[in-house]
Amino acid sequence: ISLGVGGRALGMGGAFVALANDVTAGYWNPAGLSQINYPQFTLMHDEQFGSLVNYDYGAVAIPFGSNTSLGFSVIRLGVDDIPDTRNAGVDINNNPTFDPQQFSRIDPDRVTYFNAADWAFFFTYSKKQSDDFSYGANVKIIRRELGDASATGIGIDVGVWYTPFENVQLGANFQDV
């Protein structure tokens, strides 16, 4: 799911890997999560294409000591209540039919609905090695559901964050290593 998260990052067109230093760092660059000083959480909801596609994001991050942070993020991109008319065809006598030659109309009482959704769960670890260098990693569980079918995958992201000079930040996020 690569639409991005967080108003600040999206306002910058997604150019955020080197700046991610809040709860959304779990998505943009896991190394940046080590920069938080207090527990943070965020929620985001976006509707696209006239509310047809819903995009939801939630995350929580907690610092442990002064150098380590853990985070958890959830993303859902879905289209809900898609009409399934495969079993809703009836003939002229109102009998169910699958034969295109006998098909007369769709019986609305026989229409069922299903959802199509992608889910992503991020578990993030981040460590501040020094004031100038941090690293972090995500373990991602990604699930796709389409009606009765589904698939699940696992991915790992590795991120680094480096400040070579004051007001100069460099970041890299290697996704699905």
Side-chain angles (χ1 to χ4, degrees), residues 142-166:
I142 301 170
R143 181 157 178 85
R144 174 164 285 172
E145 299 172 348
L146 179 59
D148 296 336
S150 64
T152 303
I154 297 176
I156 296 174
D157 301 340
V158 176
V160 293
W161 203 54
Y162 180 57
T163 306
F165 310 106
E166 187 177 340

mmCIF file with all atom_site columns, all heavy atoms in Angstrom, residues 142-166:
data_model
loop_
_atom_site.group_PDB
_atom_site.id
_atom_site.type_symbol
_atom_site.label_atom_id
_atom_site.label_alt_id
_atom_site.label_comp_id
_atom_site.label_asym_id
_atom_site.label_entity_id
_atom_site.label_seq_id
_atom_site.pdbx_PDB_ins_code
_atom_site.Cartn_x
_atom_site.Cartn_y
_atom_site.Cartn_z
_atom_site.occupancy
_atom_site.B_iso_or_equiv
_atom_site.pdbx_formal_charge
_atom_site.auth_seq_id
_atom_site.auth_comp_id
_atom_site.auth_asym_id
_atom_site.auth_atom_id
_atom_site.pdbx_PDB_model_num
ATOM 1   N N   . ILE A 1 142 ? 1.141   -8.306  5.250  1.00 0.00 ? 142 ILE A N   1
ATOM 2   C CA  . ILE A 1 142 ? 0.249   -7.711  4.264  1.00 0.00 ? 142 ILE A CA  1
ATOM 3   C C   . ILE A 1 142 ? -0.782  -8.751  3.868  1.00 0.00 ? 142 ILE A C   1
ATOM 4   O O   . ILE A 1 142 ? -0.442  -9.897  3.570  1.00 0.00 ? 142 ILE A O   1
ATOM 5   C CB  . ILE A 1 142 ? 1.040   -7.223  3.029  1.00 0.00 ? 142 ILE A CB  1
ATOM 6   C CG1 . ILE A 1 142 ? 2.077   -6.192  3.472  1.00 0.00 ? 142 ILE A CG1 1
ATOM 7   C CG2 . ILE A 1 142 ? 0.102   -6.659  1.980  1.00 0.00 ? 142 ILE A CG2 1
ATOM 8   C CD1 . ILE A 1 142 ? 3.059   -5.809  2.417  1.00 0.00 ? 142 ILE A CD1 1
ATOM 9   N N   . ARG A 1 143 ? -2.041  -8.342  3.885  1.00 0.00 ? 143 ARG A N   1
ATOM 10  C CA  . ARG A 1 143 ? -3.137  -9.267  3.574  1.00 0.00 ? 143 ARG A CA  1
ATOM 11  C C   . ARG A 1 143 ? -4.053  -8.640  2.542  1.00 0.00 ? 143 ARG A C   1
ATOM 12  O O   . ARG A 1 143 ? -4.422  -7.467  2.647  1.00 0.00 ? 143 ARG A O   1
ATOM 13  C CB  . ARG A 1 143 ? -3.920  -9.589  4.835  1.00 0.00 ? 143 ARG A CB  1
ATOM 14  C CG  . ARG A 1 143 ? -5.058  -10.561 4.601  1.00 0.00 ? 143 ARG A CG  1
ATOM 15  C CD  . ARG A 1 143 ? -5.432  -11.258 5.885  1.00 0.00 ? 143 ARG A CD  1
ATOM 16  N NE  . ARG A 1 143 ? -6.540  -12.156 5.691  1.00 0.00 ? 143 ARG A NE  1
ATOM 17  C CZ  . ARG A 1 143 ? -6.442  -13.399 5.262  1.00 0.00 ? 143 ARG A CZ  1
ATOM 18  N NH1 . ARG A 1 143 ? -5.260  -13.887 4.955  1.00 0.00 ? 143 ARG A NH1 1
ATOM 19  N NH2 . ARG A 1 143 ? -7.496  -14.170 5.139  1.00 0.00 ? 143 ARG A NH2 1
ATOM 20  N N   . ARG A 1 144 ? -4.416  -9.410  1.553  1.00 0.00 ? 144 ARG A N   1
ATOM 21  C CA  . ARG A 1 144 ? -5.380  -8.984  0.535  1.00 0.00 ? 144 ARG A CA  1
ATOM 22  C C   . ARG A 1 144 ? -6.594  -9.896  0.622  1.00 0.00 ? 144 ARG A C   1
ATOM 23  O O   . ARG A 1 144 ? -6.467  -11.117 0.658  1.00 0.00 ? 144 ARG A O   1
ATOM 24  C CB  . ARG A 1 144 ? -4.767  -9.066  -0.855 1.00 0.00 ? 144 ARG A CB  1
ATOM 25  C CG  . ARG A 1 144 ? -5.799  -8.778  -1.948 1.00 0.00 ? 144 ARG A CG  1
ATOM 26  C CD  . ARG A 1 144 ? -5.167  -8.475  -3.246 1.00 0.00 ? 144 ARG A CD  1
ATOM 27  N NE  . ARG A 1 144 ? -4.635  -7.113  -3.159 1.00 0.00 ? 144 ARG A NE  1
ATOM 28  C CZ  . ARG A 1 144 ? -3.878  -6.582  -4.098 1.00 0.00 ? 144 ARG A CZ  1
ATOM 29  N NH1 . ARG A 1 144 ? -3.534  -7.267  -5.151 1.00 0.00 ? 144 ARG A NH1 1
ATOM 30  N NH2 . ARG A 1 144 ? -3.445  -5.341  -3.969 1.00 0.00 ? 144 ARG A NH2 1
ATOM 31  N N   . GLU A 1 145 ? -7.767  -9.269  0.675  1.00 0.00 ? 145 GLU A N   1
ATOM 32  C CA  . GLU A 1 145 ? -9.023  -10.005 0.733  1.00 0.00 ? 145 GLU A CA  1
ATOM 33  C C   . GLU A 1 145 ? -9.904  -9.540  -0.412 1.00 0.00 ? 145 GLU A C   1
ATOM 34  O O   . GLU A 1 145 ? -10.097 -8.340  -0.613 1.00 0.00 ? 145 GLU A O   1
ATOM 35  C CB  . GLU A 1 145 ? -9.731  -9.745  2.065  1.00 0.00 ? 145 GLU A CB  1
ATOM 36  C CG  . GLU A 1 145 ? -8.925  -10.192 3.269  1.00 0.00 ? 145 GLU A CG  1
ATOM 37  C CD  . GLU A 1 145 ? -9.530  -9.755  4.594  1.00 0.00 ? 145 GLU A CD  1
ATOM 38  O OE1 . GLU A 1 145 ? -10.453 -8.913  4.591  1.00 0.00 ? 145 GLU A OE1 1
ATOM 39  O OE2 . GLU A 1 145 ? -9.058  -10.237 5.630  1.00 0.00 ? 145 GLU A OE2 1
ATOM 40  N N   . LEU A 1 146 ? -10.419 -10.485 -1.168 1.00 0.00 ? 146 LEU A N   1
ATOM 41  C CA  . LEU A 1 146 ? -11.319 -10.190 -2.272 1.00 0.00 ? 146 LEU A CA  1
ATOM 42  C C   . LEU A 1 146 ? -12.438 -11.214 -2.239 1.00 0.00 ? 146 LEU A C   1
ATOM 43  O O   . LEU A 1 146 ? -12.267 -12.344 -2.694 1.00 0.00 ? 146 LEU A O   1
ATOM 44  C CB  . LEU A 1 146 ? -10.588 -10.220 -3.615 1.00 0.00 ? 146 LEU A CB  1
ATOM 45  C CG  . LEU A 1 146 ? -11.412 -9.949  -4.850 1.00 0.00 ? 146 LEU A CG  1
ATOM 46  C CD1 . LEU A 1 146 ? -12.055 -8.571  -4.770 1.00 0.00 ? 146 LEU A CD1 1
ATOM 47  C CD2 . LEU A 1 146 ? -10.562 -10.064 -6.096 1.00 0.00 ? 146 LEU A CD2 1
ATOM 48  N N   . GLY A 1 147 ? -13.570 -10.813 -1.666 1.00 0.00 ? 147 GLY A N   1
ATOM 49  C CA  . GLY A 1 147 ? -14.676 -11.747 -1.520 1.00 0.00 ? 147 GLY A CA  1
ATOM 50  C C   . GLY A 1 147 ? -14.272 -12.913 -0.636 1.00 0.00 ? 147 GLY A C   1
ATOM 51  O O   . GLY A 1 147 ? -13.860 -12.738 0.502  1.00 0.00 ? 147 GLY A O   1
ATOM 52  N N   . ASP A 1 148 ? -14.353 -14.130 -1.188 1.00 0.00 ? 148 ASP A N   1
ATOM 53  C CA  . ASP A 1 148 ? -14.004 -15.334 -0.441 1.00 0.00 ? 148 ASP A CA  1
ATOM 54  C C   . ASP A 1 148 ? -12.514 -15.666 -0.521 1.00 0.00 ? 148 ASP A C   1
ATOM 55  O O   . ASP A 1 148 ? -12.041 -16.538 0.186  1.00 0.00 ? 148 ASP A O   1
ATOM 56  C CB  . ASP A 1 148 ? -14.799 -16.524 -0.972 1.00 0.00 ? 148 ASP A CB  1
ATOM 57  C CG  . ASP A 1 148 ? -16.290 -16.355 -0.746 1.00 0.00 ? 148 ASP A CG  1
ATOM 58  O OD1 . ASP A 1 148 ? -16.671 -15.600 0.169  1.00 0.00 ? 148 ASP A OD1 1
ATOM 59  O OD2 . ASP A 1 148 ? -17.076 -16.967 -1.493 1.00 0.00 ? 148 ASP A OD2 1
ATOM 60  N N   . ALA A 1 149 ? -11.771 -15.010 -1.399 1.00 0.00 ? 149 ALA A N   1
ATOM 61  C CA  . ALA A 1 149 ? -10.355 -15.312 -1.590 1.00 0.00 ? 149 ALA A CA  1
ATOM 62  C C   . ALA A 1 149 ? -9.498  -14.359 -0.762 1.00 0.00 ? 149 ALA A C   1
ATOM 63  O O   . ALA A 1 149 ? -9.881  -13.225 -0.504 1.00 0.00 ? 149 ALA A O   1
ATOM 64  C CB  . ALA A 1 149 ? -9.994  -15.191 -3.067 1.00 0.00 ? 149 ALA A CB  1
ATOM 65  N N   . SER A 1 150 ? -8.330  -14.848 -0.360 1.00 0.00 ? 150 SER A N   1
ATOM 66  C CA  . SER A 1 150 ? -7.405  -13.994 0.388  1.00 0.00 ? 150 SER A CA  1
ATOM 67  C C   . SER A 1 150 ? -5.982  -14.521 0.216  1.00 0.00 ? 150 SER A C   1
ATOM 68  O O   . SER A 1 150 ? -5.769  -15.669 -0.157 1.00 0.00 ? 150 SER A O   1
ATOM 69  C CB  . SER A 1 150 ? -7.779  -13.949 1.866  1.00 0.00 ? 150 SER A CB  1
ATOM 70  O OG  . SER A 1 150 ? -7.646  -15.230 2.442  1.00 0.00 ? 150 SER A OG  1
ATOM 71  N N   . ALA A 1 151 ? -5.034  -13.643 0.493  1.00 0.00 ? 151 ALA A N   1
ATOM 72  C CA  . ALA A 1 151 ? -3.618  -14.011 0.444  1.00 0.00 ? 151 ALA A CA  1
ATOM 73  C C   . ALA A 1 151 ? -2.887  -13.188 1.503  1.00 0.00 ? 151 ALA A C   1
ATOM 74  O O   . ALA A 1 151 ? -3.296  -12.070 1.822  1.00 0.00 ? 151 ALA A O   1
ATOM 75  C CB  . ALA A 1 151 ? -3.032  -13.737 -0.931 1.00 0.00 ? 151 ALA A CB  1
ATOM 76  N N   . THR A 1 152 ? -1.807  -13.743 2.030  1.00 0.00 ? 152 THR A N   1
ATOM 77  C CA  . THR A 1 152 ? -1.027  -13.075 3.063  1.00 0.00 ? 152 THR A CA  1
ATOM 78  C C   . THR A 1 152 ? 0.448   -13.159 2.713  1.00 0.00 ? 152 THR A C   1
ATOM 79  O O   . THR A 1 152 ? 0.917   -14.182 2.222  1.00 0.00 ? 152 THR A O   1
ATOM 80  C CB  . THR A 1 152 ? -1.275  -13.735 4.439  1.00 0.00 ? 152 THR A CB  1
ATOM 81  O OG1 . THR A 1 152 ? -2.671  -13.703 4.718  1.00 0.00 ? 152 THR A OG1 1
ATOM 82  C CG2 . THR A 1 152 ? -0.529  -13.006 5.539  1.00 0.00 ? 152 THR A CG2 1
ATOM 83  N N   . GLY A 1 153 ? 1.170   -12.061 2.971  1.00 0.00 ? 153 GLY A N   1
ATOM 84  C CA  . GLY A 1 153 ? 2.607   -12.033 2.735  1.00 0.00 ? 153 GLY A CA  1
ATOM 85  C C   . GLY A 1 153 ? 3.315   -11.321 3.867  1.00 0.00 ? 153 GLY A C   1
ATOM 86  O O   . GLY A 1 153 ? 2.701   -10.620 4.663  1.00 0.00 ? 153 GLY A O   1
ATOM 87  N N   . ILE A 1 154 ? 4.628   -11.501 3.913  1.00 0.00 ? 154 ILE A N   1
ATOM 88  C CA  . ILE A 1 154 ? 5.452   -10.880 4.938  1.00 0.00 ? 154 ILE A CA  1
ATOM 89  C C   . ILE A 1 154 ? 6.584   -10.128 4.256  1.00 0.00 ? 154 ILE A C   1
ATOM 90  O O   . ILE A 1 154 ? 7.139   -10.611 3.269  1.00 0.00 ? 154 ILE A O   1
ATOM 91  C CB  . ILE A 1 154 ? 6.023   -11.935 5.916  1.00 0.00 ? 154 ILE A CB  1
ATOM 92  C CG1 . ILE A 1 154 ? 4.892   -12.619 6.668  1.00 0.00 ? 154 ILE A CG1 1
ATOM 93  C CG2 . ILE A 1 154 ? 6.993   -11.298 6.891  1.00 0.00 ? 154 ILE A CG2 1
ATOM 94  C CD1 . ILE A 1 154 ? 5.343   -13.739 7.572  1.00 0.00 ? 154 ILE A CD1 1
ATOM 95  N N   . GLY A 1 155 ? 6.911   -8.962  4.781  1.00 0.00 ? 155 GLY A N   1
ATOM 96  C CA  . GLY A 1 155 ? 8.014   -8.174  4.250  1.00 0.00 ? 155 GLY A CA  1
ATOM 97  C C   . GLY A 1 155 ? 8.809   -7.548  5.376  1.00 0.00 ? 155 GLY A C   1
ATOM 98  O O   . GLY A 1 155 ? 8.334   -7.432  6.506  1.00 0.00 ? 155 GLY A O   1
ATOM 99  N N   . ILE A 1 156 ? 10.020  -7.148  5.064  1.00 0.00 ? 156 ILE A N   1
ATOM 100 C CA  . ILE A 1 156 ? 10.892  -6.493  6.036  1.00 0.00 ? 156 ILE A CA  1
ATOM 101 C C   . ILE A 1 156 ? 11.443  -5.222  5.394  1.00 0.00 ? 156 ILE A C   1
ATOM 102 O O   . ILE A 1 156 ? 11.890  -5.239  4.252  1.00 0.00 ? 156 ILE A O   1
ATOM 103 C CB  . ILE A 1 156 ? 12.054  -7.410  6.460  1.00 0.00 ? 156 ILE A CB  1
ATOM 104 C CG1 . ILE A 1 156 ? 11.503  -8.646  7.176  1.00 0.00 ? 156 ILE A CG1 1
ATOM 105 C CG2 . ILE A 1 156 ? 13.033  -6.670  7.354  1.00 0.00 ? 156 ILE A CG2 1
ATOM 106 C CD1 . ILE A 1 156 ? 12.545  -9.685  7.504  1.00 0.00 ? 156 ILE A CD1 1
ATOM 107 N N   . ASP A 1 157 ? 11.389  -4.120  6.140  1.00 0.00 ? 157 ASP A N   1
ATOM 108 C CA  . ASP A 1 157 ? 11.981  -2.853  5.721  1.00 0.00 ? 157 ASP A CA  1
ATOM 109 C C   . ASP A 1 157 ? 13.130  -2.527  6.673  1.00 0.00 ? 157 ASP A C   1
ATOM 110 O O   . ASP A 1 157 ? 13.044  -2.798  7.869  1.00 0.00 ? 157 ASP A O   1
ATOM 111 C CB  . ASP A 1 157 ? 10.980  -1.695  5.790  1.00 0.00 ? 157 ASP A CB  1
ATOM 112 C CG  . ASP A 1 157 ? 9.751   -1.902  4.929  1.00 0.00 ? 157 ASP A CG  1
ATOM 113 O OD1 . ASP A 1 157 ? 9.807   -2.720  3.996  1.00 0.00 ? 157 ASP A OD1 1
ATOM 114 O OD2 . ASP A 1 157 ? 8.735   -1.237  5.200  1.00 0.00 ? 157 ASP A OD2 1
ATOM 115 N N   . VAL A 1 158 ? 14.162  -1.919  6.140  1.00 0.00 ? 158 VAL A N   1
ATOM 116 C CA  . VAL A 1 158 ? 15.290  -1.470  6.946  1.00 0.00 ? 158 VAL A CA  1
ATOM 117 C C   . VAL A 1 158 ? 15.538  -0.009  6.619  1.00 0.00 ? 158 VAL A C   1
ATOM 118 O O   . VAL A 1 158 ? 15.606  0.365   5.447  1.00 0.00 ? 158 VAL A O   1
ATOM 119 C CB  . VAL A 1 158 ? 16.559  -2.306  6.655  1.00 0.00 ? 158 VAL A CB  1
ATOM 120 C CG1 . VAL A 1 158 ? 17.754  -1.771  7.434  1.00 0.00 ? 158 VAL A CG1 1
ATOM 121 C CG2 . VAL A 1 158 ? 16.323  -3.764  6.983  1.00 0.00 ? 158 VAL A CG2 1
ATOM 122 N N   . GLY A 1 159 ? 15.650  0.821   7.662  1.00 0.00 ? 159 GLY A N   1
ATOM 123 C CA  . GLY A 1 159 ? 15.863  2.243   7.449  1.00 0.00 ? 159 GLY A CA  1
ATOM 124 C C   . GLY A 1 159 ? 17.054  2.771   8.231  1.00 0.00 ? 159 GLY A C   1
ATOM 125 O O   . GLY A 1 159 ? 17.404  2.234   9.283  1.00 0.00 ? 159 GLY A O   1
ATOM 126 N N   . VAL A 1 160 ? 17.659  3.815   7.681  1.00 0.00 ? 160 VAL A N   1
ATOM 127 C CA  . VAL A 1 160 ? 18.741  4.513   8.375  1.00 0.00 ? 160 VAL A CA  1
ATOM 128 C C   . VAL A 1 160 ? 18.472  6.008   8.306  1.00 0.00 ? 160 VAL A C   1
ATOM 129 O O   . VAL A 1 160 ? 17.812  6.496   7.377  1.00 0.00 ? 160 VAL A O   1
ATOM 130 C CB  . VAL A 1 160 ? 20.135  4.190   7.773  1.00 0.00 ? 160 VAL A CB  1
ATOM 131 C CG1 . VAL A 1 160 ? 20.506  2.747   8.017  1.00 0.00 ? 160 VAL A CG1 1
ATOM 132 C CG2 . VAL A 1 160 ? 20.194  4.520   6.298  1.00 0.00 ? 160 VAL A CG2 1
ATOM 133 N N   . TRP A 1 161 ? 18.981  6.712   9.308  1.00 0.00 ? 161 TRP A N   1
ATOM 134 C CA  . TRP A 1 161 ? 18.795  8.167   9.417  1.00 0.00 ? 161 TRP A CA  1
ATOM 135 C C   . TRP A 1 161 ? 20.113  8.739   9.894  1.00 0.00 ? 161 TRP A C   1
ATOM 136 O O   . TRP A 1 161 ? 20.640  8.324   10.932 1.00 0.00 ? 161 TRP A O   1
ATOM 137 C CB  . TRP A 1 161 ? 17.673  8.427   10.417 1.00 0.00 ? 161 TRP A CB  1
ATOM 138 C CG  . TRP A 1 161 ? 16.965  9.717   10.297 1.00 0.00 ? 161 TRP A CG  1
ATOM 139 C CD1 . TRP A 1 161 ? 16.366  10.222  9.177  1.00 0.00 ? 161 TRP A CD1 1
ATOM 140 C CD2 . TRP A 1 161 ? 16.736  10.673  11.324 1.00 0.00 ? 161 TRP A CD2 1
ATOM 141 N NE1 . TRP A 1 161 ? 15.783  11.417  9.456  1.00 0.00 ? 161 TRP A NE1 1
ATOM 142 C CE2 . TRP A 1 161 ? 15.997  11.728  10.775 1.00 0.00 ? 161 TRP A CE2 1
ATOM 143 C CE3 . TRP A 1 161 ? 17.084  10.749  12.660 1.00 0.00 ? 161 TRP A CE3 1
ATOM 144 C CZ2 . TRP A 1 161 ? 15.603  12.826  11.492 1.00 0.00 ? 161 TRP A CZ2 1
ATOM 145 C CZ3 . TRP A 1 161 ? 16.682  11.849  13.382 1.00 0.00 ? 161 TRP A CZ3 1
ATOM 146 C CH2 . TRP A 1 161 ? 15.950  12.877  12.800 1.00 0.00 ? 161 TRP A CH2 1
ATOM 147 N N   . TYR A 1 162 ? 20.645  9.694   9.143  1.00 0.00 ? 162 TYR A N   1
ATOM 148 C CA  . TYR A 1 162 ? 21.974  10.234  9.448  1.00 0.00 ? 162 TYR A CA  1
ATOM 149 C C   . TYR A 1 162 ? 21.953  11.751  9.344  1.00 0.00 ? 162 TYR A C   1
ATOM 150 O O   . TYR A 1 162 ? 21.387  12.302  8.400  1.00 0.00 ? 162 TYR A O   1
ATOM 151 C CB  . TYR A 1 162 ? 23.003  9.642   8.478  1.00 0.00 ? 162 TYR A CB  1
ATOM 152 C CG  . TYR A 1 162 ? 24.417  10.132  8.685  1.00 0.00 ? 162 TYR A CG  1
ATOM 153 C CD1 . TYR A 1 162 ? 25.056  9.991   9.906  1.00 0.00 ? 162 TYR A CD1 1
ATOM 154 C CD2 . TYR A 1 162 ? 25.111  10.721  7.640  1.00 0.00 ? 162 TYR A CD2 1
ATOM 155 C CE1 . TYR A 1 162 ? 26.357  10.433  10.093 1.00 0.00 ? 162 TYR A CE1 1
ATOM 156 C CE2 . TYR A 1 162 ? 26.413  11.165  7.810  1.00 0.00 ? 162 TYR A CE2 1
ATOM 157 C CZ  . TYR A 1 162 ? 27.028  11.018  9.040  1.00 0.00 ? 162 TYR A CZ  1
ATOM 158 O OH  . TYR A 1 162 ? 28.311  11.462  9.229  1.00 0.00 ? 162 TYR A OH  1
ATOM 159 N N   . THR A 1 163 ? 22.564  12.419  10.337 1.00 0.00 ? 163 THR A N   1
ATOM 160 C CA  . THR A 1 163 ? 22.677  13.876  10.345 1.00 0.00 ? 163 THR A CA  1
ATOM 161 C C   . THR A 1 163 ? 24.166  14.227  10.323 1.00 0.00 ? 163 THR A C   1
ATOM 162 O O   . THR A 1 163 ? 24.810  14.298  11.376 1.00 0.00 ? 163 THR A O   1
ATOM 163 C CB  . THR A 1 163 ? 22.007  14.469  11.607 1.00 0.00 ? 163 THR A CB  1
ATOM 164 O OG1 . THR A 1 163 ? 20.674  13.990  11.690 1.00 0.00 ? 163 THR A OG1 1
ATOM 165 C CG2 . THR A 1 163 ? 21.994  15.988  11.553 1.00 0.00 ? 163 THR A CG2 1
ATOM 166 N N   . PRO A 1 164 ? 24.747  14.414  9.113  1.00 0.00 ? 164 PRO A N   1
ATOM 167 C CA  . PRO A 1 164 ? 26.184  14.697  9.041  1.00 0.00 ? 164 PRO A CA  1
ATOM 168 C C   . PRO A 1 164 ? 26.555  16.098  9.513  1.00 0.00 ? 164 PRO A C   1
ATOM 169 O O   . PRO A 1 164 ? 27.651  16.307  10.023 1.00 0.00 ? 164 PRO A O   1
ATOM 170 C CB  . PRO A 1 164 ? 26.520  14.519  7.564  1.00 0.00 ? 164 PRO A CB  1
ATOM 171 C CG  . PRO A 1 164 ? 25.235  14.773  6.857  1.00 0.00 ? 164 PRO A CG  1
ATOM 172 C CD  . PRO A 1 164 ? 24.141  14.327  7.794  1.00 0.00 ? 164 PRO A CD  1
ATOM 173 N N   . PHE A 1 165 ? 25.642  17.064  9.314  1.00 0.00 ? 165 PHE A N   1
ATOM 174 C CA  . PHE A 1 165 ? 25.865  18.443  9.717  1.00 0.00 ? 165 PHE A CA  1
ATOM 175 C C   . PHE A 1 165 ? 24.577  18.969  10.326 1.00 0.00 ? 165 PHE A C   1
ATOM 176 O O   . PHE A 1 165 ? 23.507  18.438  10.080 1.00 0.00 ? 165 PHE A O   1
ATOM 177 C CB  . PHE A 1 165 ? 26.241  19.332  8.520  1.00 0.00 ? 165 PHE A CB  1
ATOM 178 C CG  . PHE A 1 165 ? 27.341  18.774  7.677  1.00 0.00 ? 165 PHE A CG  1
ATOM 179 C CD1 . PHE A 1 165 ? 27.070  18.221  6.441  1.00 0.00 ? 165 PHE A CD1 1
ATOM 180 C CD2 . PHE A 1 165 ? 28.656  18.812  8.118  1.00 0.00 ? 165 PHE A CD2 1
ATOM 181 C CE1 . PHE A 1 165 ? 28.081  17.698  5.660  1.00 0.00 ? 165 PHE A CE1 1
ATOM 182 C CE2 . PHE A 1 165 ? 29.675  18.296  7.341  1.00 0.00 ? 165 PHE A CE2 1
ATOM 183 C CZ  . PHE A 1 165 ? 29.384  17.734  6.103  1.00 0.00 ? 165 PHE A CZ  1
ATOM 184 N N   . GLU A 1 166 ? 24.675  20.033  11.075 1.00 0.00 ? 166 GLU A N   1
ATOM 185 C CA  . GLU A 1 166 ? 23.477  20.654  11.629 1.00 0.00 ? 166 GLU A CA  1
ATOM 186 C C   . GLU A 1 166 ? 22.551  21.079  10.489 1.00 0.00 ? 166 GLU A C   1
ATOM 187 O O   . GLU A 1 166 ? 22.991  21.650  9.494  1.00 0.00 ? 166 GLU A O   1
ATOM 188 C CB  . GLU A 1 166 ? 23.864  21.864  12.477 1.00 0.00 ? 166 GLU A CB  1
ATOM 189 C CG  . GLU A 1 166 ? 22.694  22.457  13.225 1.00 0.00 ? 166 GLU A CG  1
ATOM 190 C CD  . GLU A 1 166 ? 23.112  23.611  14.130 1.00 0.00 ? 166 GLU A CD  1
ATOM 191 O OE1 . GLU A 1 166 ? 24.306  23.718  14.462 1.00 0.00 ? 166 GLU A OE1 1
ATOM 192 O OE2 . GLU A 1 166 ? 22.239  24.397  14.491 1.00 0.00 ? 166 GLU A OE2 1
#
